[in-house]
Amino acid sequence: IGRKGILNLSTRANVGTGDAVLIGGIIQRGDAVQSVIVRAIGPDLTSAYVPGALQDPVLELRDSDGALVASNDDWRSDQEAEIEATNLQPTSDSEAAILATLQPAPYTAIVRGANEAVGVALVEIYGLN
């Protein structure tokens, strides 16, 4: 209590092909911007004994109009130093992550499998400020 904004959201589901994607939605309320890290976790689920983990998740962050805010496949390919500075970097290089500063509005995180791969994935959104 007393802290405003996003704290954490996570959802685990089966990712298929086509429209069978994993979706996590948030609404950034108020009048202040919010820094977030959005992660798509797959390979690390194997160590948590989740069968059929998605081995190469691809992550998209979209605004309320469906416009692409950012996308990532393999988190070290973009924003590596900034993501590591949060101490919330994925453990597997093939997992995806996006660091973003969001204006008040609804947003959607979408997880797909690279090259139409299927499996179980986790989408997570952490508020950073």
Side-chain angles (χ1 to χ4, degrees):
I1 302 197
R3 181 180 166 149
K4 295 182 180 180
I6 301 161
L7 296 176
N8 173 253
L9 166 82
S10 64
T11 301
R12 186 180 87 183
N14 212 9
V15 175
T17 59
D19 291 337
V21 296
L22 170 55
I23 297 174
I26 58 169
I27 299 172
Q28 169 60 20
R29 296 183 67 182
D31 55 6
V33 298
Q34 169 89 45
S35 293
V36 298
I37 185 168
V38 184
R39 305 181 339 157
I41 305 299
D44 197 41
L45 295 176
T46 302
S47 65
Y49 306 105
V50 175
L54 182 63
Q55 293 305 301
D56 192 1
V58 176
L59 178 62
E60 297 176 354
L61 182 62
R62 295 192 174 266
D63 68 14
S64 60
D65 295 323
L68 185 65
V69 174
S71 66
N72 181 259
D73 178 16
D74 304 335
W75 73 273
R76 289 186 187 272
S77 67
D78 192 27
Q79 301 180 301
E80 179 179 4
E82 295 90 341
I83 290 169
E84 285 179 333
T86 68
N87 290 318
L88 292 169
Q89 68 271 18
T91 57
S92 172
D93 290 352
S94 65
E95 291 170 328
I98 296 169
L99 190 62
T101 301
L102 305 179
Q103 297 292 327
Y107 295 89
T108 303
I110 301 171
V111 180
R112 304 177 193 282
N115 302 313
E116 299 291 317
V118 298
V120 178
L122 177 70
V123 63
E124 301 174 314
I125 304 169
Y126 294 91
L128 299 176
N129 58 357

mmCIF file of all heavy atoms in Angstrom, residues 25-68:
data_model
loop_
_atom_site.group_PDB
_atom_site.id
_atom_site.type_symbol
_atom_site.label_atom_id
_atom_site.label_comp_id
_atom_site.label_asym_id
_atom_site.label_seq_id
_atom_site.Cartn_x
_atom_site.Cartn_y
_atom_site.Cartn_z
ATOM 1 N N GLY A 25 -2.120 -8.740 -20.250
ATOM 2 C CA GLY A 25 -2.484 -7.339 -20.410
ATOM 3 C C GLY A 25 -2.359 -6.570 -19.119
ATOM 4 O O GLY A 25 -2.567 -7.114 -18.034
ATOM 5 N N ILE A 26 -1.991 -5.296 -19.243
ATOM 6 C CA ILE A 26 -1.916 -4.407 -18.084
ATOM 7 C C ILE A 26 -2.536 -3.064 -18.451
ATOM 8 O O ILE A 26 -2.631 -2.712 -19.623
ATOM 9 C CB ILE A 26 -0.464 -4.182 -17.599
ATOM 10 C CG1 ILE A 26 0.398 -3.593 -18.720
ATOM 11 C CG2 ILE A 26 0.127 -5.456 -17.053
ATOM 12 C CD1 ILE A 26 1.743 -3.096 -18.259
ATOM 13 N N ILE A 27 -2.921 -2.334 -17.435
ATOM 14 C CA ILE A 27 -3.379 -0.961 -17.615
ATOM 15 C C ILE A 27 -2.534 -0.092 -16.695
ATOM 16 O O ILE A 27 -2.564 -0.274 -15.472
ATOM 17 C CB ILE A 27 -4.873 -0.797 -17.287
ATOM 18 C CG1 ILE A 27 -5.710 -1.678 -18.220
ATOM 19 C CG2 ILE A 27 -5.275 0.672 -17.396
ATOM 20 C CD1 ILE A 27 -7.183 -1.724 -17.857
ATOM 21 N N GLN A 28 -1.784 0.813 -17.277
ATOM 22 C CA GLN A 28 -1.011 1.785 -16.510
ATOM 23 C C GLN A 28 -1.933 2.962 -16.229
ATOM 24 O O GLN A 28 -2.362 3.649 -17.149
ATOM 25 C CB GLN A 28 0.233 2.214 -17.310
ATOM 26 C CG GLN A 28 0.976 3.404 -16.759
ATOM 27 C CD GLN A 28 1.494 3.200 -15.350
ATOM 28 O OE1 GLN A 28 1.642 2.094 -14.864
ATOM 29 N NE2 GLN A 28 1.757 4.286 -14.674
ATOM 30 N N ARG A 29 -2.273 3.167 -14.950
ATOM 31 C CA ARG A 29 -3.225 4.199 -14.563
ATOM 32 C C ARG A 29 -2.504 5.392 -13.966
ATOM 33 O O ARG A 29 -1.332 5.335 -13.662
ATOM 34 C CB ARG A 29 -4.219 3.630 -13.559
ATOM 35 C CG ARG A 29 -5.057 2.522 -14.197
ATOM 36 C CD ARG A 29 -6.067 1.997 -13.266
ATOM 37 N NE ARG A 29 -7.056 3.055 -13.009
ATOM 38 C CZ ARG A 29 -8.068 2.934 -12.194
ATOM 39 N NH1 ARG A 29 -8.247 1.829 -11.545
ATOM 40 N NH2 ARG A 29 -8.913 3.911 -12.023
ATOM 41 N N GLY A 30 -3.253 6.459 -13.752
ATOM 42 C CA GLY A 30 -2.703 7.664 -13.144
ATOM 43 C C GLY A 30 -2.143 8.602 -14.188
ATOM 44 O O GLY A 30 -2.489 8.531 -15.363
ATOM 45 N N ASP A 31 -1.246 9.478 -13.745
ATOM 46 C CA ASP A 31 -0.680 10.443 -14.678
ATOM 47 C C ASP A 31 0.839 10.348 -14.779
ATOM 48 O O ASP A 31 1.479 11.149 -15.447
ATOM 49 C CB ASP A 31 -1.095 11.864 -14.293
ATOM 50 C CG ASP A 31 -0.724 12.207 -12.857
ATOM 51 O OD1 ASP A 31 -0.050 11.396 -12.187
ATOM 52 O OD2 ASP A 31 -1.108 13.296 -12.409
ATOM 53 N N ALA A 32 1.427 9.352 -14.137
ATOM 54 C CA ALA A 32 2.884 9.188 -14.157
ATOM 55 C C ALA A 32 3.282 8.045 -15.085
ATOM 56 O O ALA A 32 2.539 7.084 -15.266
ATOM 57 C CB ALA A 32 3.403 8.900 -12.745
ATOM 58 N N VAL A 33 4.473 8.174 -15.674
ATOM 59 C CA VAL A 33 5.000 7.073 -16.477
ATOM 60 C C VAL A 33 5.491 5.968 -15.539
ATOM 61 O O VAL A 33 5.752 6.208 -14.360
ATOM 62 C CB VAL A 33 6.142 7.539 -17.410
ATOM 63 C CG1 VAL A 33 5.632 8.565 -18.394
ATOM 64 C CG2 VAL A 33 7.320 8.064 -16.622
ATOM 65 N N GLN A 34 5.599 4.759 -16.078
ATOM 66 C CA GLN A 34 6.028 3.602 -15.297
ATOM 67 C C GLN A 34 7.065 2.846 -16.109
ATOM 68 O O GLN A 34 6.819 2.476 -17.258
ATOM 69 C CB GLN A 34 4.838 2.692 -15.018
ATOM 70 C CG GLN A 34 5.179 1.329 -14.445
ATOM 71 C CD GLN A 34 5.254 1.314 -12.944
ATOM 72 O OE1 GLN A 34 4.394 1.866 -12.285
ATOM 73 N NE2 GLN A 34 6.257 0.686 -12.403
ATOM 74 N N SER A 35 8.225 2.604 -15.520
ATOM 75 C CA SER A 35 9.224 1.739 -16.154
ATOM 76 C C SER A 35 8.888 0.301 -15.810
ATOM 77 O O SER A 35 8.570 -0.013 -14.660
ATOM 78 C CB SER A 35 10.631 2.075 -15.664
ATOM 79 O OG SER A 35 10.995 3.351 -16.103
ATOM 80 N N VAL A 36 8.956 -0.566 -16.820
ATOM 81 C CA VAL A 36 8.647 -1.983 -16.631
ATOM 82 C C VAL A 36 9.675 -2.834 -17.355
ATOM 83 O O VAL A 36 10.328 -2.386 -18.294
ATOM 84 C CB VAL A 36 7.235 -2.349 -17.157
ATOM 85 C CG1 VAL A 36 6.156 -1.587 -16.415
ATOM 86 C CG2 VAL A 36 7.122 -2.125 -18.656
ATOM 87 N N ILE A 37 9.798 -4.072 -16.897
ATOM 88 C CA ILE A 37 10.479 -5.091 -17.668
ATOM 89 C C ILE A 37 9.446 -6.173 -17.945
ATOM 90 O O ILE A 37 8.706 -6.591 -17.044
ATOM 91 C CB ILE A 37 11.736 -5.653 -16.976
ATOM 92 C CG1 ILE A 37 12.453 -6.633 -17.923
ATOM 93 C CG2 ILE A 37 11.428 -6.276 -15.640
ATOM 94 C CD1 ILE A 37 13.842 -7.023 -17.466
ATOM 95 N N VAL A 38 9.356 -6.560 -19.201
ATOM 96 C CA VAL A 38 8.431 -7.607 -19.633
ATOM 97 C C VAL A 38 9.295 -8.776 -20.073
ATOM 98 O O VAL A 38 10.243 -8.596 -20.836
ATOM 99 C CB VAL A 38 7.543 -7.123 -20.797
ATOM 100 C CG1 VAL A 38 6.521 -8.181 -21.169
ATOM 101 C CG2 VAL A 38 6.865 -5.807 -20.448
ATOM 102 N N ARG A 39 8.989 -9.972 -19.574
ATOM 103 C CA ARG A 39 9.804 -11.146 -19.883
ATOM 104 C C ARG A 39 8.933 -12.271 -20.431
ATOM 105 O O ARG A 39 7.798 -12.449 -19.990
ATOM 106 C CB ARG A 39 10.508 -11.669 -18.625
ATOM 107 C CG ARG A 39 11.332 -10.644 -17.926
ATOM 108 C CD ARG A 39 12.075 -11.081 -16.696
ATOM 109 N NE ARG A 39 11.594 -12.268 -16.023
ATOM 110 C CZ ARG A 39 12.340 -13.013 -15.231
ATOM 111 N NH1 ARG A 39 13.611 -12.713 -15.004
ATOM 112 N NH2 ARG A 39 11.847 -14.075 -14.624
ATOM 113 N N ALA A 40 9.494 -13.022 -21.380
ATOM 114 C CA ALA A 40 8.871 -14.239 -21.892
ATOM 115 C C ALA A 40 9.807 -15.388 -21.557
ATOM 116 O O ALA A 40 10.917 -15.470 -22.082
ATOM 117 C CB ALA A 40 8.641 -14.146 -23.389
ATOM 118 N N ILE A 41 9.375 -16.235 -20.643
ATOM 119 C CA ILE A 41 10.212 -17.309 -20.113
ATOM 120 C C ILE A 41 9.734 -18.643 -20.668
ATOM 121 O O ILE A 41 8.536 -18.922 -20.682
ATOM 122 C CB ILE A 41 10.144 -17.333 -18.564
ATOM 123 C CG1 ILE A 41 10.515 -15.957 -17.988
ATOM 124 C CG2 ILE A 41 11.009 -18.443 -17.996
ATOM 125 C CD1 ILE A 41 11.907 -15.472 -18.322
ATOM 126 N N GLY A 42 10.660 -19.455 -21.126
ATOM 127 C CA GLY A 42 10.344 -20.785 -21.647
ATOM 128 C C GLY A 42 11.328 -21.821 -21.137
ATOM 129 O O GLY A 42 10.968 -22.654 -20.302
ATOM 130 N N PRO A 43 12.578 -21.787 -21.614
ATOM 131 C CA PRO A 43 13.543 -22.810 -21.224
ATOM 132 C C PRO A 43 13.716 -22.956 -19.714
ATOM 133 O O PRO A 43 13.903 -24.060 -19.211
ATOM 134 C CB PRO A 43 14.844 -22.346 -21.878
ATOM 135 C CG PRO A 43 14.403 -21.577 -23.067
ATOM 136 C CD PRO A 43 13.128 -20.887 -22.633
ATOM 137 N N ASP A 44 13.630 -21.853 -18.977
ATOM 138 C CA ASP A 44 13.813 -21.932 -17.522
ATOM 139 C C ASP A 44 12.691 -22.706 -16.837
ATOM 140 O O ASP A 44 12.858 -23.184 -15.719
ATOM 141 C CB ASP A 44 13.942 -20.532 -16.932
ATOM 142 C CG ASP A 44 14.522 -20.544 -15.531
ATOM 143 O OD1 ASP A 44 15.478 -21.319 -15.289
ATOM 144 O OD2 ASP A 44 14.023 -19.798 -14.674
ATOM 145 N N LEU A 45 11.551 -22.863 -17.503
ATOM 146 C CA LEU A 45 10.458 -23.637 -16.916
ATOM 147 C C LEU A 45 10.824 -25.117 -16.787
ATOM 148 O O LEU A 45 10.288 -25.816 -15.926
ATOM 149 C CB LEU A 45 9.181 -23.486 -17.743
ATOM 150 C CG LEU A 45 8.572 -22.082 -17.780
ATOM 151 C CD1 LEU A 45 7.374 -22.062 -18.712
ATOM 152 C CD2 LEU A 45 8.200 -21.615 -16.392
ATOM 153 N N THR A 46 11.730 -25.581 -17.628
ATOM 154 C CA THR A 46 12.176 -26.977 -17.552
ATOM 155 C C THR A 46 12.788 -27.269 -16.193
ATOM 156 O O THR A 46 12.537 -28.328 -15.607
ATOM 157 C CB THR A 46 13.183 -27.282 -18.683
ATOM 158 O OG1 THR A 46 12.542 -27.000 -19.925
ATOM 159 C CG2 THR A 46 13.620 -28.727 -18.661
ATOM 160 N N SER A 47 13.575 -26.320 -15.660
ATOM 161 C CA SER A 47 14.183 -26.527 -14.337
ATOM 162 C C SER A 47 13.141 -26.506 -13.222
ATOM 163 O O SER A 47 13.402 -26.972 -12.118
ATOM 164 C CB SER A 47 15.274 -25.490 -14.072
ATOM 165 O OG SER A 47 14.717 -24.198 -13.996
ATOM 166 N N ALA A 48 11.948 -25.975 -13.516
ATOM 167 C CA ALA A 48 10.841 -25.982 -12.556
ATOM 168 C C ALA A 48 9.911 -27.172 -12.807
ATOM 169 O O ALA A 48 8.794 -27.198 -12.324
ATOM 170 C CB ALA A 48 10.066 -24.680 -12.640
ATOM 171 N N TYR A 49 10.402 -28.136 -13.612
ATOM 172 C CA TYR A 49 9.679 -29.381 -13.900
ATOM 173 C C TYR A 49 8.372 -29.166 -14.654
ATOM 174 O O TYR A 49 7.420 -29.917 -14.484
ATOM 175 C CB TYR A 49 9.458 -30.192 -12.622
ATOM 176 C CG TYR A 49 10.733 -30.456 -11.882
ATOM 177 C CD1 TYR A 49 11.037 -29.754 -10.729
ATOM 178 C CD2 TYR A 49 11.657 -31.376 -12.370
ATOM 179 C CE1 TYR A 49 12.242 -29.976 -10.057
ATOM 180 C CE2 TYR A 49 12.863 -31.593 -11.717
ATOM 181 C CZ TYR A 49 13.145 -30.895 -10.561
ATOM 182 O OH TYR A 49 14.334 -31.106 -9.920
ATOM 183 N N VAL A 50 8.333 -28.127 -15.490
ATOM 184 C CA VAL A 50 7.174 -27.903 -16.351
ATOM 185 C C VAL A 50 7.436 -28.639 -17.660
ATOM 186 O O VAL A 50 8.380 -28.306 -18.373
ATOM 187 C CB VAL A 50 6.945 -26.403 -16.608
ATOM 188 C CG1 VAL A 50 5.811 -26.193 -17.604
ATOM 189 C CG2 VAL A 50 6.653 -25.682 -15.295
ATOM 190 N N PRO A 51 6.631 -29.643 -17.988
ATOM 191 C CA PRO A 51 6.866 -30.385 -19.234
ATOM 192 C C PRO A 51 6.477 -29.564 -20.460
ATOM 193 O O PRO A 51 5.546 -28.762 -20.418
ATOM 194 C CB PRO A 51 5.964 -31.615 -19.094
ATOM 195 C CG PRO A 51 4.892 -31.202 -18.146
ATOM 196 C CD PRO A 51 5.506 -30.179 -17.224
ATOM 197 N N GLY A 52 7.198 -29.756 -21.557
ATOM 198 C CA GLY A 52 6.855 -29.122 -22.822
ATOM 199 C C GLY A 52 7.120 -27.636 -22.876
ATOM 200 O O GLY A 52 6.413 -26.903 -23.579
ATOM 201 N N ALA A 53 8.146 -27.162 -22.183
ATOM 202 C CA ALA A 53 8.440 -25.729 -22.160
ATOM 203 C C ALA A 53 8.816 -25.225 -23.559
ATOM 204 O O ALA A 53 9.515 -25.905 -24.313
ATOM 205 C CB ALA A 53 9.573 -25.436 -21.184
ATOM 206 N N LEU A 54 8.354 -24.045 -23.899
ATOM 207 C CA LEU A 54 8.684 -23.389 -25.156
ATOM 208 C C LEU A 54 10.159 -23.004 -25.131
ATOM 209 O O LEU A 54 10.596 -22.257 -24.256
ATOM 210 C CB LEU A 54 7.808 -22.145 -25.338
ATOM 211 C CG LEU A 54 7.972 -21.349 -26.623
ATOM 212 C CD1 LEU A 54 7.582 -22.193 -27.832
ATOM 213 C CD2 LEU A 54 7.127 -20.086 -26.553
ATOM 214 N N GLN A 55 10.930 -23.495 -26.068
ATOM 215 C CA GLN A 55 12.385 -23.332 -26.012
ATOM 216 C C GLN A 55 12.896 -22.000 -26.549
ATOM 217 O O GLN A 55 14.011 -21.608 -26.227
ATOM 218 C CB GLN A 55 13.072 -24.489 -26.730
ATOM 219 C CG GLN A 55 12.872 -25.813 -26.012
ATOM 220 C CD GLN A 55 13.317 -25.742 -24.555
ATOM 221 O OE1 GLN A 55 14.473 -25.450 -24.273
ATOM 222 N NE2 GLN A 55 12.400 -26.005 -23.629
ATOM 223 N N ASP A 56 12.103 -21.279 -27.348
ATOM 224 C CA ASP A 56 12.558 -19.991 -27.883
ATOM 225 C C ASP A 56 11.379 -19.034 -28.009
ATOM 226 O O ASP A 56 10.829 -18.838 -29.091
ATOM 227 C CB ASP A 56 13.242 -20.192 -29.239
ATOM 228 C CG ASP A 56 13.990 -18.951 -29.712
ATOM 229 O OD1 ASP A 56 14.007 -17.922 -28.996
ATOM 230 O OD2 ASP A 56 14.555 -19.008 -30.820
ATOM 231 N N PRO A 57 10.981 -18.412 -26.887
ATOM 232 C CA PRO A 57 9.856 -17.479 -26.939
ATOM 233 C C PRO A 57 10.237 -16.162 -27.609
ATOM 234 O O PRO A 57 11.368 -15.697 -27.507
ATOM 235 C CB PRO A 57 9.499 -17.263 -25.467
ATOM 236 C CG PRO A 57 10.725 -17.617 -24.712
ATOM 237 C CD PRO A 57 11.482 -18.607 -25.524
ATOM 238 N N VAL A 58 9.263 -15.584 -28.305
ATOM 239 C CA VAL A 58 9.394 -14.270 -28.926
ATOM 240 C C VAL A 58 8.345 -13.376 -28.281
ATOM 241 O O VAL A 58 7.188 -13.772 -28.134
ATOM 242 C CB VAL A 58 9.171 -14.351 -30.451
ATOM 243 C CG1 VAL A 58 9.221 -12.965 -31.080
ATOM 244 C CG2 VAL A 58 10.196 -15.274 -31.089
ATOM 245 N N LEU A 59 8.753 -12.167 -27.900
ATOM 246 C CA LEU A 59 7.899 -11.271 -27.128
ATOM 247 C C LEU A 59 7.585 -10.000 -27.905
ATOM 248 O O LEU A 59 8.471 -9.412 -28.531
ATOM 249 C CB LEU A 59 8.628 -10.910 -25.827
ATOM 250 C CG LEU A 59 7.966 -9.945 -24.867
ATOM 251 C CD1 LEU A 59 6.647 -10.495 -24.335
ATOM 252 C CD2 LEU A 59 8.918 -9.650 -23.706
ATOM 253 N N GLU A 60 6.322 -9.586 -27.855
ATOM 254 C CA GLU A 60 5.889 -8.305 -28.405
ATOM 255 C C GLU A 60 5.175 -7.534 -27.306
ATOM 256 O O GLU A 60 4.432 -8.110 -26.516
ATOM 257 C CB GLU A 60 4.900 -8.489 -29.555
ATOM 258 C CG GLU A 60 5.435 -9.210 -30.748
ATOM 259 C CD GLU A 60 4.356 -9.434 -31.808
ATOM 260 O OE1 GLU A 60 3.167 -9.118 -31.565
ATOM 261 O OE2 GLU A 60 4.718 -9.929 -32.881
ATOM 262 N N LEU A 61 5.373 -6.222 -27.282
ATOM 263 C CA LEU A 61 4.621 -5.327 -26.407
ATOM 264 C C LEU A 61 3.852 -4.379 -27.306
ATOM 265 O O LEU A 61 4.437 -3.720 -28.176
ATOM 266 C CB LEU A 61 5.567 -4.559 -25.484
ATOM 267 C CG LEU A 61 4.907 -3.612 -24.476
ATOM 268 C CD1 LEU A 61 3.999 -4.377 -23.511
ATOM 269 C CD2 LEU A 61 5.965 -2.824 -23.714
ATOM 270 N N ARG A 62 2.519 -4.332 -27.132
ATOM 271 C CA ARG A 62 1.657 -3.523 -27.999
ATOM 272 C C ARG A 62 0.831 -2.555 -27.169
ATOM 273 O O ARG A 62 0.478 -2.849 -26.023
ATOM 274 C CB ARG A 62 0.741 -4.418 -28.822
ATOM 275 C CG ARG A 62 1.568 -5.273 -29.801
ATOM 276 C CD ARG A 62 0.716 -5.961 -30.834
ATOM 277 N NE ARG A 62 1.533 -6.634 -31.813
ATOM 278 C CZ ARG A 62 1.917 -6.112 -32.975
ATOM 279 N NH1 ARG A 62 1.534 -4.897 -33.297
ATOM 280 N NH2 ARG A 62 2.659 -6.804 -33.817
ATOM 281 N N ASP A 63 0.512 -1.408 -27.767
ATOM 282 C CA ASP A 63 -0.305 -0.418 -27.072
ATOM 283 C C ASP A 63 -1.793 -0.703 -27.288
ATOM 284 O O ASP A 63 -2.162 -1.693 -27.929
ATOM 285 C CB ASP A 63 0.082 1.001 -27.483
ATOM 286 C CG ASP A 63 -0.263 1.362 -28.921
ATOM 287 O OD1 ASP A 63 -1.039 0.627 -29.581
ATOM 288 O OD2 ASP A 63 0.244 2.398 -29.397
ATOM 289 N N SER A 64 -2.655 0.190 -26.801
ATOM 290 C CA SER A 64 -4.097 -0.054 -26.846
ATOM 291 C C SER A 64 -4.654 -0.058 -28.273
ATOM 292 O O SER A 64 -5.732 -0.587 -28.509
ATOM 293 C CB SER A 64 -4.835 0.994 -26.014
ATOM 294 O OG SER A 64 -4.577 2.291 -26.526
ATOM 295 N N ASP A 65 -3.931 0.520 -29.222
ATOM 296 C CA ASP A 65 -4.351 0.493 -30.621
ATOM 297 C C ASP A 65 -3.784 -0.711 -31.361
ATOM 298 O O ASP A 65 -4.018 -0.863 -32.562
ATOM 299 C CB ASP A 65 -3.906 1.774 -31.337
ATOM 300 C CG ASP A 65 -4.602 3.007 -30.786
ATOM 301 O OD1 ASP A 65 -5.801 2.920 -30.442
ATOM 302 O OD2 ASP A 65 -3.935 4.062 -30.691
ATOM 303 N N GLY A 66 -3.008 -1.540 -30.680
ATOM 304 C CA GLY A 66 -2.387 -2.694 -31.310
ATOM 305 C C GLY A 66 -1.061 -2.386 -31.976
ATOM 306 O O GLY A 66 -0.449 -3.268 -32.577
ATOM 307 N N ALA A 67 -0.602 -1.144 -31.865
ATOM 308 C CA ALA A 67 0.680 -0.765 -32.466
ATOM 309 C C ALA A 67 1.832 -1.379 -31.661
ATOM 310 O O ALA A 67 1.781 -1.434 -30.429
ATOM 311 C CB ALA A 67 0.823 0.748 -32.512
ATOM 312 N N LEU A 68 2.841 -1.822 -32.363
ATOM 313 C CA LEU A 68 4.001 -2.436 -31.727
ATOM 314 C C LEU A 68 4.822 -1.382 -30.999
ATOM 315 O O LEU A 68 5.287 -0.419 -31.607
ATOM 316 C CB LEU A 68 4.860 -3.137 -32.786
ATOM 317 C CG LEU A 68 6.046 -3.937 -32.272
ATOM 318 C CD1 LEU A 68 5.578 -5.120 -31.426
ATOM 319 C CD2 LEU A 68 6.891 -4.411 -33.446
#
